Each structure stands twice: as C-alpha cells, then as structure tokens.
C-alpha cells in the first residue's frame, strides 16, 4: 500500500527553540519512517516581509541546518527549500485564478497583518493561503502537521482543492487534513511565567537550540518565580508549574521529585532549583548546538543535501504539474 503523504513548511523567521524541538521536530523525526514526508523551508513566504538577499539565504540555511541537527534525514524524508520548486509557483498561479477576493480578505491571519501593518498590504499577503495550498497540493499531501493557528489556512487548501476538482470534473487533488503524530504534543512554556515558548513571548523567555551555555544560564536564572509557597501541598502557581514543566523535559525524574517534595514542604529555594534546571538544560541543548555548528561548517555537504532535496521534491512536483496542465487544457 502506498504511504500517506505528509507535507509541512516553516517560515525561516529565526532560530528554532526548545518548543519547536520538543513539539514539531520530534514528530517530524518519527514521521519520516512512517510516511512519505516533504519538509520544506518557506523562503517564498518570507518575501511578504521583505528580507534582504543575505538574510533570506542565511535564515533559510540556518533552519535547514537545525532540522538536520534535530535528526531529520535527507535520505528518508524530502527536505528542501520552497524556492527550489518553481512548480509550486505555477500551481499557485492556477489557484489564484479561482480564489475570490472576498474569501482571501476574510482570512484571520490576513486581517491581523492588515491591522499590524496597514502600509504593507501587498498581494502576496492576500494570497498567502493560495501559496500554502500550492505547497501542500503540489505533492498531493493528505496529512499536514501544523498547529492550531494554521487550521484556517488548511481549510482554504481544501476549498481550493475541491474547487479545482469540481471545475475540471477530475479527482486531481486530495483534501488534506491537519495531523498530529501520536499523542498530544508536550507544551513547552516560556520563561516569563505565561504562554508558550516562542517568538511572541520574546527572546529572553525562549531557549534557542543555538544558545550558548552562558546564555542559557542567564535566561533561566532570570525566569519568573515567586517568593515561595507558604502552605504545604498546595497547587503551584503558573510560573512555578512552568519551571517544573521545563524540568520534566530536561532533568531526571529523581531531580523533579526532589524539588517537588521541597515545594510541598515549603522548603524550596527557587535559586537552587533554577541552577539545577540551567545545568540540565545546558546538557540537553549543548549536543544540539554542537551538531548545528558542525553541520553549518561543512558547506559542501550542505550543498549536496540541498540538491538532493530539490531533486526528490521535483519528481513529485513535476508529476502533479504535468497532470494539472493537462486537465486544464494545455496541449503544447
Ligand atoms: N503558514 C505556515 C506557518 O506560518 C508555514 C507554511 C507555509 C506551511 N506553507 C506551508 C505549513 C504548507 C504547512 C504546509 O507556520
């Protein structure tokens, strides 16, 4: 039986962090054995925010390096730059011909961007969902591992796929679904006491895979805590629960139990707990950081990986475009 096809993209807006690593990346690594996987770096989507040429390339390259360091395998999965797949753009054009202004204007992420940046409401932003649909449907992917914030984009992908199929009376495209491999993702909290680790909570609250030990120590020692429990065996306030959640990711069970017990007996000293957390975090992140440096220093090997990804991605994309052109009526 043919394997299900998985496709996911990431915008290269910065370094990957512990939340990415424990969530999406761990799942991607598991998926590459079960499915036919296409993981790409969305360096066309990047243009909506007008990066400089050097930033565009360096940011995309850095994400690729971090994917590889996290265990994605260019042999088992297809890992590529979106800009190496011009077929995507052709499909994007076809979808744009049948995407309505009204439905594009109603997309929440578009409305947010208009509000945040009223002077840069470009057509690329408006057609973000048709480009994303092209990314996914160019491989006829059925499973798309993305977070809740992408649900609406995925809904539009299904709309464009269905519309195309109806229009030409052909079952060209599947209707892809959001997908989480296995059970619930571990939620990695930010260091500022609220919210998830990630861009929105700021760099000081986020542990990046590229953070040096001294940076990790500094960030964790500054993490939000409080003056400590005053009654035995009480539930923990959010910022304290968050420290424990991070500890459960990087420390041994004995260590977590030790501090949990001190907490319940009102004898915890958060300075001590954070020191331990910082050391365990360093042990967790440092091998990844070293891998990133190592992979990043071998430009030739990286080139080969980029070429391999491009080659593999284009096989699937070319087949789809061939079929689509025929169905639309091109005979040249
Ligand atoms: N829109 C996604 C995000 O912001 C990135 C993305 C672009 C994507 N194309 C995709 C994700 C295709 C999954 C499939 O995170």
């Amino acid at each position: 039986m043919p394997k299900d096809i998985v496709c996911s993209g990431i915008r290269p807006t910065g370094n990957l962090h512990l939340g990415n690593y424990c969530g999406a990346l761990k799942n991607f690594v598991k998926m590459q054995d079960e499915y036919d996987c296409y993981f790409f770096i969305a360096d066309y989507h990047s243009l909506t925010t007008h990066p400089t040429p050097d930033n565009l390339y360096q940011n995309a390259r850095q994400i690729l390096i971090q994917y590889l360091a996290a265990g994605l395998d260019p042999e088992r999965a297809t890992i590529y730059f979106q800009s190496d797949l011009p077929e995507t753009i052709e499909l994007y054009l076809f979808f744009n011909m049948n995407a309505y202004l009204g439905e594009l204007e109603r997309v929440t992420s578009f409305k947010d961007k208009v509000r945040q940046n009223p002077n840069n409401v470009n057509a690329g932003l408006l057609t973000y969902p048709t480009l994303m649909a092209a990314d996914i449907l160019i491989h006829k992917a059925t499973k798309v591992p993305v977070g809740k914030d992408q649900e609406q984009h995925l809904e539009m992908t299904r709309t464009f796929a269905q519309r195309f199929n109806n229009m030409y009376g052909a079952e060209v495209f599947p209707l892809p679904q959001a997908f989480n491999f296995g059970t619930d993702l571990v939620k990695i909290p930010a260091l500022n006491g609220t919210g998830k680790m990630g861009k929105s909570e700021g760099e000081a609250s986020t542990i990046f895979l590229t953070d040096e030990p001294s940076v990790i120590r500094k960030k964790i020692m500054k993490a939000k805590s409080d003056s400590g429990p005053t009654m035995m065996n009480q539930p923990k306030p959010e910022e304290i629960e968050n420290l424990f959640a991070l500890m459960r990711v990087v420390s041994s069970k004995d260590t977590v139990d030790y501090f949990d017990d001190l907490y319940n007996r009102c004898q915890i000293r958060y300075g001590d707990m954070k020191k331990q957390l910082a050391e365990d975090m360093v042990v967790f992140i440092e091998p990844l950081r070293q891998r990133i440096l190592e992979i990043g220093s071998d430009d030739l090997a990286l080139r080969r990986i980029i070429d391999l990804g491009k080659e593999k991605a284009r096989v699937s994309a070319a087949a789809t475009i061939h079929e689509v052109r025929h169905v639309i009526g091109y005979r040249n």
Side-chain angles (χ1 to χ4, degrees):
M1 217 176 76
K3 288 180 178 175
D4 269 312
I5 300 172
V6 167
C7 175
S8 194
I10 182 169
R11 276 171 305 144
T13 51
N15 287 319
L16 298 176
H17 53 73
L18 185 71
N20 298 130
Y21 180 74
C22 295
L25 277 174
K26 276 223 166 122
N27 274 331
F28 288 1
V29 170
K30 282 190 270 169
M31 284 175 202
Q32 47 187 0
D33 291 321
E34 300 286 315
Y35 304 102
D36 191 0
C37 291
Y38 294 87
F39 300 123
F40 68 94
I41 295 148
D43 60 352
Y44 281 140
H45 276 111
S46 308
L47 296 183
T48 56
T49 52
H50 304 157
T52 65
D54 203 45
N55 278 343
L56 180 67
Y57 178 64
Q58 287 307 332
N59 292 346
R61 180 180 185 274
Q62 201 51 31
I63 296 289
L64 173 66
I65 292 169
Q66 293 175 29
Y67 267 20
L68 298 170
L72 286 187
D73 178 353
E75 301 283 343
R76 283 183 288 163
T78 300
I79 309 166
Y80 64 99
F81 291 152
Q82 187 184 30
S83 62
D84 271 336
L85 212 56
E87 290 86 352
T88 304
I89 299 308
E90 188 169 348
L91 190 56
Y92 168 61
L93 179 140
F94 294 145
F95 287 147
N96 277 337
M97 295 300 171
N98 300 302
Y100 302 111
L101 181 59
E103 67 188 341
L104 294 171
E105 281 176 332
R106 277 194 299 277
V107 174
T108 313
S109 63
F110 176 71
K111 289 194 287 192
D112 288 346
K113 287 283 182 325
V114 172
R115 220 173 299 126
Q116 291 158 7
N117 251 325
N119 297 323
N120 184 22
V121 184
N122 57 61
L125 274 182
L126 182 72
T127 57
Y128 192 108
T130 48
L131 182 53
M132 182 158 159
D135 291 329
I136 297 166
L137 295 170
I138 197 73
H139 303 300
K140 300 194 179 187
T142 50
K143 292 180 154 56
V144 186
V146 283
K148 271 235 159 324
D149 62 321
Q150 298 297 314
E151 201 33 84
Q152 194 181 20
H153 290 152
L154 218 49
E155 180 75 49
M156 306 225 26
T157 298
R158 289 190 288 273
T159 302
F160 300 136
Q162 185 73 68
R163 190 174 294 160
F164 187 97
N165 291 349
N166 290 347
M167 186 162 224
Y168 295 104
E171 284 299 308
V172 177
F173 295 117
L175 305 183
Q177 300 289 337
F179 171 61
N180 279 321
F181 194 67
T183 46
D184 283 348
L185 301 179
V186 210
K187 185 191 139 196
I188 305 294
L191 297 171
N192 61 357
T194 51
K196 276 199 314 186
M197 192 172 278
K199 252 186 113 196
S200 56
E201 299 300 330
E203 302 226 331
S205 296
T206 301
I207 303 286
F208 294 99
L209 305 186
T210 48
D211 279 349
E212 288 178 22
S214 62
V215 173
I216 292 178
R217 292 192 184 102
K218 210 178 289 163
K219 284 179 177 174
I220 291 192
M221 293 318 285
K222 284 194 180 148
K224 186 150 183 350
S225 57
D226 60 16
S227 51
T230 51
M231 284 199 301
M232 308 253 269
N233 300 312
Q234 289 299 300
K236 303 178 179 81
E238 190 183 6
E239 61 266 26
I240 303 305
E241 178 46 41
N242 286 352
L243 289 180
F244 275 92
L246 289 169
M247 204 169 224
R248 283 194 291 273
V249 173
V250 298
S251 305
S252 73
K253 184 171 183 308
D254 284 353
T255 304
V256 179
D257 289 347
Y258 172 76
F259 285 102
D260 196 44
D261 184 55
L262 287 178
Y263 179 89
N264 285 327
R265 293 191 285 114
C266 300
Q267 288 179 8
I268 194 160
R269 289 170 39 190
Y270 291 126
D272 293 346
M273 180 184 179
K274 286 189 204 170
K275 241 182 231 152
Q276 181 70 48
L277 177 59
E279 290 320 306
D280 292 340
M281 187 66 76
V282 167
V283 169
F284 189 90
I285 295 286
E286 191 55 13
L288 282 163
R289 192 178 77 87
Q290 292 297 338
R291 285 279 294 150
I292 290 168
L293 291 175
E294 192 186 315
I295 295 168
S297 69
D298 192 345
D299 210 47
L300 205 67
L302 213 51
R303 277 275 144 218
R304 271 197 216 108
I305 289 171
I306 293 169
D307 287 344
L308 175 65
K310 172 176 166 172
E311 235 171 77
K312 286 166 67 176
R314 290 196 77 173
V315 172
S316 143
T320 304
I321 279 296
H322 183 81
E323 180 184 1
V324 165
R325 289 180 66 98
H326 186 83
V327 162
I328 290 178
Y330 293 107
R331 297 289 180 264
N332 37 338

